[in-house]
Amino acid sequence: YALIENITKERLQYQICKLLLVGMDWQRKGVDKAVAITTRLNELGLKSEITIIGCQPPKNTVLPNFVKNIKFIDTSVDTGLNTMFNYYGQSHFFLMPTLAETFGHVFCEANAFGLPCISHKTGGVPSVITNEINGHLFEIGENIDNWCEYIIKIFNDKTAYKELCLTSFNEYQTRLNWDNGCKIVIDKLKKSM
């Protein structure tokens, strides 16, 4: 926990709310909504920026200056892996309002850095994200002001934010990693024999 506590302490020093989205499919991952949420946060007075990694906007899309769009980071090389680690470590929230997802490994990766996740309550996402434990889920079609209200509330409450980061990391350590996932499958298979 010491590393996550240090990462969280650093995040708490930032005056800008840093959001992160990692995915390949602009439309399905809900990137337009993520940009709209970031825009609205700025309108509501919370200076915010979002980094989008891995997907490109539709042609002729003009992105606001608080959107950083990165085509692809090759994590098979050390420099790419370190770059990705830095984005996860320096962000406040992982925001991916996906429209369809069977599970969402990327949420587990975010939680490995104590990064709370915010998404839609769809598909397998609720099997990864538990409200107020490792993030928050919203219904598809829910007003973006509700998303913004949640982000602003948690971002401005340093104690609540720190606790959410620690419980997010705890979810990764106790449930959302390969070792525990494999153990659960093996135990279920043994019980069914």
Side-chain angles (χ1 to χ4, degrees):
Y1 281 93
L3 176 60
I4 299 306
E5 285 180 335
N6 287 337
I7 289 172
T8 302
K9 186 186 268 188
E10 280 185 41
R11 286 179 189 151
L12 290 171
Q13 304 304 311
Y14 304 143
Q15 300 302 310
I16 297 173
C17 181
K18 296 183 176 197
L19 307 169
L20 177 65
L21 188 154
V22 178
M24 297 295 288
D25 185 332
W26 188 274
Q27 184 176 356
R28 186 171 60 85
K29 299 299 181 179
V31 181
D32 283 337
K33 187 169 194 169
V35 171
I37 290 167
T38 311
T39 300
R40 186 71 179 130
L41 286 169
N42 281 295
E43 291 170 355
L44 293 169
L46 179 62
K47 191 167 170 104
S48 304
E49 63 184 32
I50 187 165
T51 300
I52 301 161
I53 299 173
C55 56
Q56 290 302 295
K59 284 186 179 182
N60 302 321
T61 300
V62 178
L63 296 171
N65 61 359
F66 52 78
V67 176
K68 185 176 186 180
N69 188 238
I70 300 168
K71 290 182 184 181
F72 178 76
I73 295 176
D74 184 358
T75 57
S76 69
V77 295
D78 286 346
T79 55
L81 194 59
N82 290 335
T83 299
M84 188 66 84
F85 283 1
N86 285 335
Y87 280 116
Y88 277 117
Q90 294 173 3
S91 299
H92 291 99
F93 296 98
F94 186 85
L95 174 66
M96 190 174 77
T98 184
L99 297 172
E101 205 74 41
T102 55
F103 182 75
H105 244 104
V106 72
F107 299 120
C108 303
E109 292 170 1
N111 281 177
F113 291 85
L115 186 58
C117 299
I118 304 171
S119 189
H120 277 130
K121 186 177 181 180
T122 187
V125 178
S127 65
V128 182
I129 301 171
T130 304
N131 285 352
E132 313 327 318
I133 301 296
N134 62 336
H136 196 85
L137 296 173
F138 292 91
E139 297 292 337
I140 290 179
E142 192 165 342
N143 191 304
I144 65 168
D145 282 348
N146 296 341
W147 296 62
C148 294
E149 182 181 317
Y150 175 78
I151 292 168
I152 291 167
K153 180 182 82 170
I154 298 297
F155 182 82
N156 287 333
D157 183 339
K158 304 302 184 195
T159 302
Y161 179 75
K162 181 180 177 182
E163 183 62 28
L164 187 58
C165 290
L166 294 177
T167 56
S168 293
F169 179 67
N170 187 60
E171 281 293 281
Y172 167 75
Q173 274 202 315
T174 60
R175 190 171 67 88
L176 300 174
N177 64 65
W178 282 110
D179 289 341
N180 286 328
C182 291
K183 183 182 180 312
I184 290 167
V185 170
I186 290 168
D187 289 347
K188 286 188 181 209
L189 288 173
K190 285 180 181 177
K191 286 179 184 176
S192 68
M193 295 179 146

